[in-house]
Amino acid sequence: MNQRFKSSLIDKLLDNSIEIDELKWLREDIDAADLSCIIQRIYDLNESYILKISAVNGMLEKLNVIKNKRRNNRFFNKIRKGFRQVSKSDRKIILAEGDSWFNYPIILTDLVDVIGMDKDLAVYSIASGGDWLLNMLTARVYVEELSLLHPDYFLISGGGNDLVGSSRIAAMLDPTGQSNEYARNEWAQYMIGKVHAAGIQLNEDDFNEGLKYISKDFFALLMFFHLQYYFLISEILNAGNKGNKTPKFENIKIITQGYDYPVPSYESGIGVNPLHWYVPLIRKFQQNGNWLKTPMQLRGINDAETQRKIVYAMIFLFNEMMIDIGHIFTDDKKMPGRVFHIDARESVGENGWTDELHPKAEHFMKIGRVFKQCIKNPTSATYQQVFVVKEFNK
Amino acid sequence: MRLIAWLCFILLAATLKYLSWDFQHFNPGIPNDFAFETAGKDETRAIVETWDTSSWGQHSVTTGVKLFTFIDFAYILAYSYILVTLSYDRMQLERHTFLNNLLRLCFPLAILAGLFDVVENILFLFNMEHYDLAGGYISISPFTYTKWTLIAIVALIWLISKIKSLIIR
C-alpha cells in the first residue's frame, strides 16, 4: 500500500468515516509507526508526552513489581520441579500481559492470581496495574518473554486505562447528546448487526441513549484498539512465518478480555458486610469517581443514568471489537481455535464493584474460573470462540 | 521487607523470651506479664509490689518489665505485619471464594489485634505507675482477651484453609 493512500485511510479513521474494507486494508498494512501516528492524533499530543502520561510509576510501579516477582517465583518453582513435560499435555505455561485486571497489586485476588492457583497452570506475569495497551505495545516486554517461555497461552488485558487514564474519557464525549457518530461508523454498525444476528443480549434503549453522547474520538480510539490488537495478535501468531516457514509459536493460543460495565460513582462503599471491609478503604484511597464520574461531569454530563448508559455503550462496543478480532483470525485468517475472548459483561453487576473499574474479589474469582475453563477446555466456548462468564455461572 | 520483618520478629521474640526467662531465673515463681494483664485491682497491686521488691540484676523487676513492654511495642509491629503477609500468601492460594474472602478479612483482624495489644501495653504501663491511686486502675483483661480472640480467629481461618487444601487438591 502506498504511503499516501495509507495516510488517507488514517485520516478517514480519525474522522470516523472509514469503511469496513478500508479498515481491513489498513489493518493488513499497519505498522508500529502508523500506530504511533494515529495515537498522537487521537490524543492530540506528541508521542513522548503520551508515553509520559501513560507510564506506570511511583508506588504503583513498585507494588506491581513486588506482586509479579512473587508470582514469577512461584512460576519458576513449578518449572524447577519439572512442571513442563511433553508427555503431560494438561499442564500449560501461560504468559500474562495486561492491566489491573491481571495485576491488582494489593488486597484483591485478581484474574491472574486465580489462574495461577491451578496446579496444572504455571503463569508468568508481566502485567502491571495502571498500564495502557499503548505502553504494552511500545515496550514490547512480551516479545522477549514469548521467546524465552514459548507459552501455551498468551493472556492479554488492555485498553481500559487508554480510555479512562488521565481523564481521557472526557475527550471521548459529546455533551450535547446529539451525536450521530455511530451512524457514520460502518464497522461499528456491522458489529452490532452481528450481535442482532447471533441473538446476543443487548439493551437497545441503554445502548442507543449512550451512543448519543459518544464523540467520534471514541470510535477512532475503538478502531485504534482494533488495529493494535490485530497488530499484536498477528505478530504473535505469525512470528517467524516469513517465506511460509512454520511459525515460531506454532500452537500458542491467545485469550483476551473486555471488562464488564462499570458504574460511574462517588459512593463511599461503606456497608455492613465485613467481608467487603476493603471497599470503602480502596474507594477513599483511589478517590472513587476520578476515572469515570468526574470526567463526565467535567463535560457537563451530570445525570447518573446517562453516565451509566454511556459506559454501557462503550464497554459493549469494546467487547464486540475484541470478539470481532477473534472472528477475523478464525474466519479470514483460517486460524480457528487460536484466539478466544472472555466476555465478562453483566457478570459483576451493579453492586459487585470494589471501585469504579475493578470488581470485588469474588467476581474476579468468578471470571478467573472462566479463564481456566477456556485454557483447560477451549472447545467448551459459549459460542464460537467466546466464553460468556454469566453463562458459566448460572 | 518480609525478610526484615521476619528477622525483627525472631529477634524481638527471642529477646522477650529471654527477659521472661531471666525474671524467673532471678525470682523463681514471680508473676509474669500475662498474670498482670488478667489481674483484678487487688491482684495488680500485689503483683506490682512483688515486682518492686524483687531484683533483676542491679534493678528491680518493675524496671525489667517496663523494658519488656517497650520492646513489646516493636514486637507488635513485626507480628502484625507477619500475620497480614501470611494471610495474604494463604489467600492467594485459596480457591474457595468464601475462604478467600475470610483470609482477606484476616488483614484488618491482624491489625486490630495489634492495636488491642498496643492499648494493652499502654494500660499495662499506666497500671504499673498508678495502681495505688484512686481511679488509677483500668482493667486490661478485656483488651487481652479480645486480642487473643482475634489472633485465634485468624489462626482458625488459616487452619481451615490449609486443611481444605490438603483434602481438596
Side-chain angles (χ1 to χ4, degrees):
Chain A
M1 187 186 292
N2 81 41
Q3 199 56 40
R4 185 178 290 178
F5 182 56
K6 197 195 270 187
S7 293
S8 74
L9 293 183
I10 291 173
D11 287 343
K12 289 181 88 173
L13 180 143
L14 293 164
D15 183 52
N16 191 31
S17 58
I18 194 166
E19 292 173 6
I20 293 175
D21 283 341
E22 292 172 327
L23 184 62
K24 189 176 172 181
W25 297 332
L26 184 59
R27 77 173 172 240
E28 294 295 340
D29 210 50
I30 203 83
D31 57 32
D34 299 325
L35 291 172
S36 166
C37 162
I38 296 169
I39 194 63
Q40 289 180 60
R41 291 177 63 186
I42 290 175
Y43 287 161
D44 213 9
L45 297 167
N46 70 53
E47 191 181 22
S48 61
Y49 189 70
I50 295 169
L51 291 175
K52 194 176 163 190
I53 60 169
S54 65
V56 181
N57 46 32
M59 181 58 89
L60 182 58
E61 185 189 16
K62 288 190 180 80
L63 292 171
N64 282 329
V65 169
I66 291 168
K67 186 158 189 179
N68 277 341
K69 197 176 165 191
R70 295 183 62 76
R71 286 168 164 176
N72 297 340
N73 281 341
R74 216 152 38 209
F75 171 85
F76 280 113
N77 283 340
K78 280 187 176 177
I79 296 295
R80 286 187 197 103
K81 288 175 185 167
F83 179 86
R84 197 163 215 182
Q85 293 176 32
V86 178
S87 60
K88 298 201 170 167
S89 59
D90 52 338
R91 294 182 180 177
K92 305 289 183 198
I93 299 283
I94 295 158
L95 175 63
E97 168 67 296
D99 52 22
S100 50
W101 277 51
F102 279 1
N103 186 347
Y104 196 94
I106 51 161
I107 302 177
L108 293 181
T109 301
D110 59 46
L111 296 178
V112 167
D113 292 328
V114 179
I115 299 162
M117 287 175 190
D118 197 294
K119 66 179 171 51
D120 290 328
L121 308 177
V123 190
Y124 189 89
S125 170
I126 50 171
S128 294
D131 210 359
W132 293 32
L133 183 60
L134 179 74
N135 260 339
M136 298 172 209
L137 268 82
T138 308
R140 293 165 62 81
V141 178
Y142 62 89
V143 174
E144 189 187 334
E145 302 302 345
L146 281 168
S147 295
L148 282 173
L149 305 174
H150 276 258
D152 301 292
Y153 279 85
F154 177 68
L155 315 184
I156 174 89
S157 166
N161 292 305
D162 305 56
L163 179 62
V164 304
S166 299
S167 299
R168 293 304 311 174
I169 199 170
M172 312 282 159
L173 301 172
D174 177 350
T176 65
Q178 305 290 322
S179 171
N180 68 340
E181 294 299 333
Y182 172 70
R184 293 180 63 223
N185 192 307
E186 191 187 9
W187 169 69
Q189 291 175 64
Y190 155 78
M191 290 193 298
I192 297 303
K194 289 212 299 192
V195 165
H196 288 138
I200 295 162
Q201 196 180 338
L202 165 65
N203 185 330
E204 298 274 356
D205 292 343
D206 287 0
F207 183 70
N208 292 329
E209 186 64 20
L211 289 174
K212 290 180 190 169
Y213 293 87
I214 296 176
S215 74
K216 72 176 180 185
D217 287 339
F218 172 77
F219 288 97
L221 185 66
L222 192 67
M223 288 185 282
F224 179 65
F225 286 148
H226 176 80
L227 296 176
Q228 282 181 305
Y229 270 108
Y230 182 84
F231 181 76
L232 170 80
I233 294 171
S234 191
E235 186 188 28
I236 295 171
L237 295 184
N238 295 313
N241 196 16
K242 282 178 187 145
N244 285 331
K245 283 183 188 166
T246 308
K248 194 173 176 184
F249 311 112
E250 199 181 354
N251 296 311
I252 195 170
K253 294 179 172 70
I254 297 170
I255 306 178
T256 62
Q257 72 90 23
Y259 315 104
D260 190 8
Y261 309 116
V263 184
S265 164
Y266 290 130
E267 280 180 25
S268 66
I270 293 170
V272 291
N273 186 347
L275 296 180
H276 294 149
W277 62 270
Y278 57 89
V279 174
L281 197 73
I282 290 176
R283 288 189 181 192
K284 183 78 185 166
F285 181 71
Q286 304 268 30
Q287 294 183 300
N288 200 43
N290 271 1
W291 279 305
L292 300 170
K293 187 102 179 164
T294 304
M296 288 187 177
Q297 291 196 296
L298 205 58
R299 296 301 306 276
I301 301 170
N302 292 301
D303 178 57
E305 264 300 284
T306 306
Q307 292 168 349
R308 185 187 63 76
K309 288 170 184 173
I310 293 168
V311 173
Y312 178 85
M314 286 179 167
I315 294 295
F316 194 91
L317 283 167
F318 183 81
N319 270 273
E320 290 306 321
M321 179 277 295
M322 300 297 308
I323 291 167
D324 189 46
I325 291 280
H327 288 156
I328 290 167
F329 283 95
T330 302
D331 300 336
D332 301 352
K333 294 282 172 185
K334 310 293 179 217
M335 288 180 170
R338 303 294 295 279
V339 183
F340 300 90
H341 180 69
I342 307 298
D343 181 355
R345 286 175 292 185
E346 292 185 7
S347 68
V348 177
E350 203 175 325
N351 298 316
W353 296 89
T354 296
D355 54 33
E356 274 190 312
L357 300 184
H358 307 98
K360 286 175 184 164
E362 54 265 40
H363 296 288
F364 263 139
M365 294 188 79
K366 190 168 71 179
I367 300 166
R369 280 195 279 269
V370 179
F371 268 87
K372 289 204 296 187
Q373 169 78 18
C374 177
I375 293 164
K376 293 188 153 194
N377 190 2
T379 57
S380 63
T382 314
Y383 65 95
Q384 294 164 339
Q385 78 289 2
V386 183
F387 286 72
V388 180
V389 175
K390 68 174 180 177
E391 296 296 327
F392 280 90
N393 287 284
K394 272 184 174 171
Chain B
M1 185 69 179
R2 284 178 182 223
L3 184 67
I4 294 168
W6 272 105
L7 285 174
C8 289
F9 174 77
I10 292 166
L11 198 69
L12 291 166
T15 309
L16 293 175
K17 188 72 192 164
Y18 173 76
L19 283 175
S20 286
W21 174 84
D22 212 30
F23 297 151
Q24 293 292 329
H25 173 73
F26 279 100
N27 306 280
I30 197 168
N32 60 17
D33 59 314
F34 186 72
F36 186 81
E37 286 162 2
T38 53
K41 188 172 184 179
D42 294 338
E43 289 165 290
T44 296
R45 172 190 290 268
I47 290 170
V48 177
E49 281 171 359
T50 308
W51 285 350
D52 274 341
T53 54
S54 305
S55 65
W56 175 59
Q58 293 179 328
H59 307 281
S60 70
V61 170
T62 305
T63 309
V65 169
K66 280 181 185 168
L67 175 68
F68 181 98
T69 310
F70 288 123
I71 295 171
D72 195 42
F73 279 114
Y75 180 67
I76 292 166
L77 266 180
Y79 85 67
S80 300
Y81 180 81
I82 283 171
L83 285 178
V84 170
T85 54
L86 288 176
S87 302
Y88 182 82
D89 291 348
R90 188 72 233 153
M91 179 188 85
Q92 297 301 43
L93 298 173
E94 181 51 65
R95 284 179 281 177
H96 191 279
T97 305
F98 183 65
L99 272 176
N100 183 282
N101 268 328
L102 280 179
L103 284 160
R104 191 171 295 100
L105 183 64
C106 288
F107 309 169
L109 294 186
I111 293 167
L112 213 53
L115 288 175
F116 274 101
D117 208 352
V118 168
V119 174
E120 182 191 291
N121 279 0
I122 291 168
L123 295 180
F124 193 105
L125 293 169
F126 177 86
N127 284 353
M128 279 174 76
E129 292 293 327
H130 302 95
Y131 69 96
D132 54 349
L133 300 176
Y137 166 81
I138 302 170
S139 176
I140 304 174
S141 57
F143 297 94
T144 304
Y145 291 129
T146 309
K147 174 191 78 178
W148 284 111
T149 306
L150 290 171
I151 291 172
I153 291 170
V154 170
L156 186 68
I157 294 169
W158 289 354
L159 198 67
I160 293 168
S161 172
K162 184 67 191 170
I163 290 170
K164 199 214 91 211
S165 74
L166 293 172
I167 297 167
I168 308 166
R169 283 182 178 270

